[in-house]
Amino acid sequence: MKAKELMDKDFVYLNADDSVIDASKAMEDVRRFTCPVVNDKKQLIGWITAFDITKGLREGKEKISEVMSSCEEVASVHEDDPARKAVILTANNKFVTVPVVNDDNQVIGMVRACDIVELLSNLYDIKVVKLYKAMQNQLNGVTWEELMAASALVSKKTTGKKISPEEYEANIMDSTFGEAIWATGGLEKFFAGLISVGEMVIARRVGRAKK
Amino acid sequence: MKAKELMDKDFVYLNADDSVIDASKAMEDVRRFTCPVVNDKKQLIGWITAFDITKGLREGKEKISEVMSSCEEVASVHEDDPARKAVILTANNKFVTVPVVNDDNQVIGMVRACDIVELLSNLYDIKVVKLYKAMQNQLNGVTWEELMAASALVSKKTTGKKISPEEYEANIMDSTFGEAIWATGGLEKFFAGLISVGEMVIARRVGRAKK
């Protein structure tokens, strides 16, 4: 995924000679705490946060050029950069927004922390049952009942608590991938548990074939 | 994970009779675009964003009570709510911050979008090799070489491109879980691929045992 696929195009940009008052109104209207400042070629030349605006209003500053940060202080990503670069910038610097530029340094969008949250949280919200369905699909010929029976056995082995295949099924219908990795103690452990289920299903099938 | 484990405690709160000017300075100092407004018992009674402040400064409003949103308009989470609730609120409403309250409705922290990004992106940054190590660990007696050989075969089957076990190993050393799920087309597909590798390793082991 590229930065341009994640960016919000519904942003406002400011010009250096815009008035601080007009800029404050524009930012309130679109509800954006940060804005790029661009020249007449739409190239990034500066950055404005709501803090620059409140300070400017208090101190009676007139023009955006008097209150903006310079271009050099702004971290941006290129439209073809991996989206991950914007995610890492946001996480490490506690940014609210990262501007996205093209080859000509024109601002073409903004990656917002809330959009990243939406994207990343989608993964966490995938139902665990979908992973079991993918596993059943992969393990040709294994029935859902066999899979649940093996899962209940592995679960008992891991947690020490007895659980029926039906109870196990009810659990995974409700729970999400995010809950599951938190509950099992991390991605690797969650994943190892699933491999363990796969292994047991195969072993039981091989066992039956021998009889 | 609970909301209180994810929240930022380094926030500022405002009182209804604070001056708009002082509030703007406080928000600039700690660099927070949003602040809870509390009564003398630290209970949440309102909400301030930088937009309320810029509008208030422009219109010459004096007190926070004149510019704040009322408590009813603020979405908050309880400290013992699952962190996921704050994540969903942030994703669905494009929030920058969600206040966290205790049983007495006192504000005890704020869940920020950038903190959620940091938390969620940690999962994406797990190296794929760690999942293979977990798989090897789970599949007792399987060697790393067997695992890479099976992976290279499954990869060839899926992508149509020939890859040596050594090349495959080099790939997974570098790549992250996030990259892998994007590359394979989603969590279920990535996971099905790993199950497929596990299945092949077991099948080859069984095959050797028969000889």
Side-chain angles (χ1 to χ4, degrees):
Chain A
M1 188 182 213
K2 291 181 176 177
K4 64 182 168 194
E5 296 169 65
L6 177 57
M7 74 189 183
D8 171 42
K9 290 175 194 160
D10 193 24
F11 65 100
V12 277
Y13 51 82
L14 301 171
N15 294 117
D17 55 0
D18 284 346
S19 87
V20 172
I21 288 178
D22 288 346
S24 73
K25 290 176 186 167
M27 290 168 76
E28 288 163 27
D29 283 346
V30 289
R31 301 193 71 78
R32 294 293 182 275
F33 291 121
T34 55
C35 286
V37 184
V38 299
N39 63 18
D40 52 8
K41 288 172 184 158
K42 301 254 165 76
Q43 291 168 322
L44 186 66
I45 58 163
W47 190 251
I48 282 287
T49 70
F51 308 129
D52 303 318
I53 299 288
T54 52
K55 192 159 183 283
L57 286 173
R58 259 195 343 261
E59 294 175 357
K61 296 283 164 59
E62 288 192 359
K63 299 281 181 198
I64 283 300
S65 56
E66 298 171 60
V67 297
M68 71 184 191
S69 301
S70 76
C71 188
E72 291 74 38
E73 297 167 66
V74 189
S76 63
V77 294
H78 186 273
E79 56 175 333
D80 291 325
D81 278 338
R84 205 172 141 247
K85 190 174 170 188
V87 173
I88 290 168
L89 276 172
T90 300
N92 292 354
N93 302 286
K94 308 289 178 191
F95 287 151
V96 167
T97 340
V98 177
V100 181
V101 296
N102 63 14
D103 283 336
D104 297 325
N105 200 35
Q106 293 172 314
V107 184
I108 56 163
M110 306 268 272
V111 173
R112 299 182 297 170
C114 54
D115 294 323
I116 299 175
V117 169
E118 191 178 4
L119 174 80
L120 300 191
S121 65
N122 284 342
L123 174 71
Y124 284 79
D125 276 340
I126 291 174
K127 294 280 186 207
V128 172
V129 69
K130 282 198 168 182
L131 298 180
Y132 279 86
K133 291 284 181 191
M135 175 148 70
Q136 190 201 348
N137 201 33
Q138 188 58 48
L139 299 170
N140 240 319
V142 166
T143 67
W144 184 248
E145 288 66 32
E146 285 174 326
L147 202 57
M148 291 302 104
S151 300
L153 280 171
V154 168
S155 175
K156 199 198 152 193
K157 220 171 87 182
T158 318
T159 65
K161 269 190 276 183
K162 210 180 161 181
I163 184 168
S164 73
E166 292 72 26
E167 285 165 335
Y168 194 90
E169 184 179 13
N171 280 355
I172 63 165
M173 288 292 173
D174 281 340
S175 67
T176 64
F177 177 58
E179 290 164 348
I181 54 179
W182 275 324
T184 49
L187 180 63
E188 295 97 314
K189 285 186 185 161
F190 169 71
F191 173 64
L194 286 171
I195 289 291
S196 179
V197 168
E199 194 181 13
M200 181 170 293
V201 170
I202 296 172
R204 297 179 106 198
R205 212 193 327 170
V206 171
R208 269 198 312 278
K210 279 185 185 160
K211 278 176 198 164
Chain B
M1 189 182 211
K2 290 180 175 178
K4 64 181 168 194
E5 296 168 66
L6 177 58
M7 73 189 182
D8 171 43
K9 290 174 195 161
D10 191 25
F11 66 101
V12 277
Y13 50 81
L14 301 171
N15 294 116
D17 56 0
D18 283 346
S19 86
V20 173
I21 288 178
D22 288 346
S24 73
K25 291 178 187 168
M27 290 167 77
E28 288 163 28
D29 283 347
V30 289
R31 302 194 69 78
R32 295 292 183 272
F33 291 121
T34 54
C35 285
V37 184
V38 299
N39 63 17
D40 52 7
K41 288 173 183 157
K42 301 253 165 72
Q43 291 167 323
L44 186 66
I45 59 163
W47 191 251
I48 282 288
T49 70
F51 308 128
D52 303 318
I53 299 288
T54 51
K55 191 158 186 283
L57 286 172
R58 260 197 342 262
E59 296 175 355
K61 297 282 164 61
E62 288 192 359
K63 298 282 181 198
I64 283 300
S65 56
E66 298 170 60
V67 297
M68 72 184 192
S69 301
S70 76
C71 187
E72 291 75 38
E73 296 168 66
V74 189
S76 63
V77 294
H78 186 272
E79 57 175 332
D80 291 325
D81 278 338
R84 206 173 140 247
K85 189 174 170 189
V87 173
I88 291 168
L89 276 172
T90 299
N92 292 353
N93 302 286
K94 307 291 177 187
F95 286 152
V96 166
T97 340
V98 176
V100 181
V101 297
N102 64 14
D103 283 337
D104 297 324
N105 201 33
Q106 292 171 315
V107 183
I108 57 164
M110 306 268 271
V111 173
R112 299 181 298 170
C114 55
D115 294 323
I116 299 176
V117 170
E118 191 177 4
L119 174 80
L120 301 191
S121 66
N122 284 342
L123 173 72
Y124 283 79
D125 277 340
I126 291 174
K127 294 280 186 205
V128 172
V129 67
K130 282 198 168 179
L131 298 180
Y132 279 86
K133 291 283 181 193
M135 174 147 70
Q136 190 200 348
N137 201 35
Q138 188 60 46
L139 298 171
N140 241 319
V142 166
T143 68
W144 185 248
E145 288 67 32
E146 286 174 324
L147 202 56
M148 290 302 104
S151 300
L153 280 172
V154 167
S155 175
K156 199 198 151 194
K157 220 171 84 182
T158 318
T159 65
K161 270 190 275 183
K162 210 179 161 182
I163 184 168
S164 72
E166 293 72 26
E167 286 166 335
Y168 194 90
E169 183 178 15
N171 280 355
I172 63 165
M173 288 291 172
D174 281 340
S175 67
T176 63
F177 177 58
E179 290 164 348
I181 52 178
W182 274 323
T184 49
L187 180 63
E188 296 98 315
K189 284 186 184 160
F190 169 73
F191 173 65
L194 286 170
I195 289 290
S196 178
V197 168
E199 194 181 14
M200 180 170 294
V201 170
I202 296 172
R204 297 180 105 200
R205 213 196 324 172
V206 171
R208 269 197 312 281
K210 278 186 185 159
K211 279 175 194 166

